[in-house]
Amino acid sequence: ANNFATKGKRKTLNAGDVLSAMEEMEFQRFIAPLKESLEVYRREQKGKKEARKDKDKKADSEEQDKSREEENEDDDERMEEEEQNEEEEVDN
């Protein structure tokens, strides 16, 4: 597998390198089960990644909703202060 990666001018081994090496070493009986396991693993990882993205999107939207609510509260407070200031000015 290392030789296959070196031929590809890479330092990192990947699944294809390992499978090619196993084929060259005549371990065909292990190749099919390994490919199936690899596909299952990749699907699981993809599902986890998508679930994380969905969770992050929900968290972001909730944070935006909270910040909007805080902004609205701040605006309400400012309006109340302005009304009080106007009332004080009218009294003077």
Side-chain angles (χ1 to χ4, degrees), residues 17-81:
D17 297 330
V18 174
L19 293 172
S20 297
M22 290 184 70
E23 191 173 316
E24 186 175 295
M25 295 172 60
E26 299 179 4
F27 285 117
Q28 279 82 10
R29 65 181 179 183
F30 297 112
I31 294 174
L34 273 175
K35 284 183 179 179
E36 290 173 15
S37 297
L38 180 62
E39 286 302 314
V40 168
Y41 172 78
R42 286 181 176 164
R43 276 187 253 129
E44 287 175 359
Q45 294 302 311
K46 187 176 181 180
K48 288 179 183 179
K49 187 176 182 179
E50 289 175 358
R52 257 186 261 125
K53 282 184 181 179
D54 290 342
K55 184 178 178 181
D56 291 344
K57 284 181 183 178
K58 286 180 183 178
D60 288 344
S61 67
E62 288 176 1
E63 286 178 13
Q64 288 176 353
D65 290 344
K66 286 180 183 179
S67 65
R68 286 183 192 140
E69 288 176 5
E70 290 172 358
E71 287 175 6
N72 288 340
E73 289 175 3
D74 291 343
D75 289 343
D76 290 344
E77 289 175 8
R78 283 188 209 124
M79 301 257 312
E80 288 175 7
E81 288 176 7

